[in-house]
Amino acid sequence: MERKNFLRCLLFIFGAVLLLIFTVYNLPNELSNNPELLECTTNSPWCISKNRILGKKPNFLHQPTTTLGHDHTADVPHHPLDPLTIQEMNKVHKVIKSLYKDTVYSVHSLVLEEPDKEVVLKWKKGDDLPPRKASVIARASGKSYIFTVDIETGEVVQQDTSQFSGYPYVTLEDMQAVVWAPFSRSDFNRSIIARGVDPKNAACLPFSSGWFGEAEEGRRIVKLECFNTEGTANFYMRPIEGIIVIVDLDTNEVLEIVDKGKHIPIPKAAGTDYRLSAENSPVFKLPNPVSMEQPNGPNFVIENEHLVKWANWEFHLKPDPRAGVMISRARVRDSETGKMRNVMYKGFSSELFVPYMDPEEAWYFKTYMDAGEYGFGLQSLALDPLNDCPRNAQYMDAIFAAADGTPYVRSNMICLFERYSGDAAWRHTESPIVGEEIREARPKVSLVARMVASLANYDYVIDWEFQADGLIHVKVSLTGIVIVKGTSYVNMNQVNGEELYGTLLSENIIGVVHDHYVNFYLDMDIDGIDNSFVNVHLQREYTNGKSPRKSYMKVNKEVAKTEKEAQIKLSLYNPSEFHVVNPNKKTKVGNPVGYKVVPAGTAASLLDPEDPPQKRSAFTNNQIWVTQYNKSEQWSGGLFAYQSHGEDTLQVWSDRDRPIENRDIVLWYTLGFHHVPCQEDFPMMPTVSAGFDLKPVNFFERNPVLRVAPYVEKELLVCKAVASA
């Protein structure tokens, strides 16, 4: 039997080599005979691979008609915070190649090295741009490197990485290469065949391994879980339970195969496919579609690709491979003075944490830090017009770097649109007591910047919504597919006290309990960089017989002096408001101008603080943090989060207890969800959402939307559907 298997493997390898040779020598001719195949403009591994076989660089010229973009090869920067252009990335790529002439290397991050904050704040339109530099994170010869490249001179400045225990996030090419590693092992192939799975129908996906002690030191490892793809696009619902393949990411060597679920059947494919074409049941569709139309165009403008102006707001918007979307230099126009006022220097999703609550061998390591391990922006694919974003949306492209440092275009990564759903910005009706009926109402229209990241099974929708009253609403929506665990159970009446670690969703399928946390970096600069954090504590006070009332609620304001005083765990019965104020700027009546964070999505982590996943994602120890501004402290799970030990986290920085009163400070908010899966989550999870507000508090002298004009019937266009031919 062993001899037969050995011969089969030899034949398989020989056939694969012949296929590769045929592909390399014949693909160019095949494509030249089929011109439509030459348009390969996505960032998919297939497109990248095809262009390399052809000796071509990715095609940056083709842009869908819905994008804001143009020929990106001609892009030039206009603002100090504009992302690197294709021309700039190509210059950096040459420098990287010269550094690693005879060495295999991989680029894990290639982004703008942003100028110092004071330089950006002093810059005005028309000024020369500060020197443009690139920040590069690369790996070569088993080591990680950080360096900056002066784009004009090519000068390279190396940084020390010895203080980091972890690794940079994995590249798309890392993941593409490692998925084939399990099939090189005959014991793996025999195991899945014994379970009734044809190897051609097996797909193995790489999942980050976390960090659980010294046994995992010295190697950049990944753990692959495998699925049966036969009969459904939703292969996540068909896990080959119990098989975990541990692979070295640098060598693609299989280090270990865990195989402990042979008694667990593979769930059936029936009823799992979510595609419209695959469903046999009747399609539910509203007879009259709902759409917001703007025949005269939007009320916002985007100057030089990244500077957004709408109503009384102005901000810089750009894609980022790690954060997804970055909002910078957010300013609002004062309705009384007409002047633009600073609100937030920078805001973005800093880190995610998704721990699954199953301690068994095939599950305990599933404690994902999606931004620091995979790149939140790298997993953000093109948005679907009309369904991801409304018809009145405009789109923005991203330019990212592949693992070899060459740039490629991620089309339609961000959408911008105005939203009006019939809500009121304010309203009031007065009774005839004043002698006449008064009825005043104003429409609430807002501007939304949206991105969607598809992180394997889960999809995250991130909205930054700007309102004319000065409020910024940040919303996270979760949808996609619940990752499931195979089981022998088909009904709950078979379970006799066993811990399932989740919910039986369908026959042989358990949805495992888990959490989702998204930590946001919010560099608030309220009318200047020197701000303070105020805990506006609400407490019960007694009247002591001075009133028929026994008690009332009193406000007690406490200014945090140091970082530890601003580590906040929310409590329903010990409430507070949390203000960021400028103590040096006051309103006419003497209140310090400020903004407050209005919490929501307040799930708190229940993991032990010394549990390795919790130490690595210690930003979930509190919902609110405030730290002294430090340009190097942006990623709350650490710069090198992959297999990190937790020595470079928001908790570590905050525990330094630096002074924060009347200083340049950063507010951090952790939004959280507990998820106990239910049958309605099968096979595709309906969207759930939560968000928090950044709301003006004594920032304006009075209601800033008091003078907003109401809608008038004659000003609104009536749209009629065009009859089809």
Side-chain angles (χ1 to χ4, degrees), residues 709-725:
Y711 280 154
V712 179
E713 183 68 34
K714 65 181 181 180
E715 295 176 353
L716 300 179
L717 296 172
V718 178
C719 300
K720 296 182 179 179
V722 178
S724 58

Side-chain angles (χ1 to χ4, degrees), residues 223-448:
K223 296 189 176 183
L224 287 89
E225 182 178 0
C226 304
F227 305 85
N228 187 351
T229 65
E230 185 179 11
T232 179
N234 192 356
F235 55 86
Y236 293 104
M237 293 296 115
R238 307 201 70 198
I240 306 174
E241 190 60 46
I243 295 184
I244 298 295
V245 184
I246 304 172
V247 180
D248 186 311
L249 269 169
D250 290 322
T251 65
N252 288 339
E253 176 191 356
V254 175
L255 304 176
E256 183 183 356
I257 296 178
V258 177
D259 189 358
K260 294 189 175 180
K262 294 179 181 179
H263 66 287
I264 299 174
I266 295 172
K268 298 174 182 177
T272 63
D273 203 323
Y274 49 84
R275 294 172 298 175
L276 187 65
S277 59
E279 268 293 339
N280 295 321
S281 57
V283 175
F284 171 76
K285 189 173 185 179
L286 292 173
N288 300 306
V290 178
S291 177
M292 180 170 172
E293 308 293 337
Q294 291 181 289
N296 295 331
N299 294 299
F300 63 86
V301 296
I302 302 176
E303 293 183 358
N304 299 320
E305 297 293 316
H306 296 288
L307 186 63
V308 180
K309 295 182 177 181
W310 172 82
N312 50 348
W313 279 102
E314 175 181 303
F315 57 90
H316 187 274
L317 172 66
K318 69 178 178 183
D320 181 83
R322 181 163 181 168
V325 167
M326 281 190 170
I327 306 287
S328 301
R329 299 290 283 121
R331 303 191 299 163
V332 66
R333 179 175 290 103
D334 192 297
S335 58
E336 303 292 317
T337 66
K339 294 181 179 179
M340 299 300 294
R341 298 173 62 188
N342 293 323
V343 174
M344 183 175 70
Y345 180 75
K346 187 191 290 187
F348 58 88
S349 309
S350 177
E351 189 54 270
L352 291 82
F353 180 41
V354 187
Y356 283 80
M357 305 303 171
D358 187 332
E360 294 185 347
E361 187 162 12
W363 281 81
Y364 75 89
F365 63 89
K366 295 181 179 180
T367 54
Y368 308 121
M369 300 170 69
D370 288 317
E373 293 178 338
Y374 298 106
F376 204 36
L378 289 179
Q379 308 304 319
S380 303
L381 303 181
L383 295 164
D384 180 14
L386 301 184
N387 295 298
D388 279 330
C389 308
R391 190 204 293 270
N392 62 321
Q394 291 190 15
Y395 295 81
M396 182 179 290
D397 299 338
I399 299 170
F400 294 153
D404 65 355
T406 56
Y408 63 86
V409 173
R410 175 70 48 82
S411 297
N412 289 13
M413 179 181 154
I414 300 172
C415 71
L416 282 156
F417 60 92
E418 289 171 284
R419 172 184 284 157
Y420 173 59
S421 58
D423 294 329
W426 65 266
R427 75 160 330 278
H428 183 64
T429 299
E430 191 56 75
S431 67
I433 292 176
V434 295
E436 60 175 327
E437 183 181 65
I438 299 174
R439 185 174 60 191
E440 294 281 337
R442 301 293 185 269
K444 177 189 276 189
V445 181
S446 59
L447 179 70
V448 178

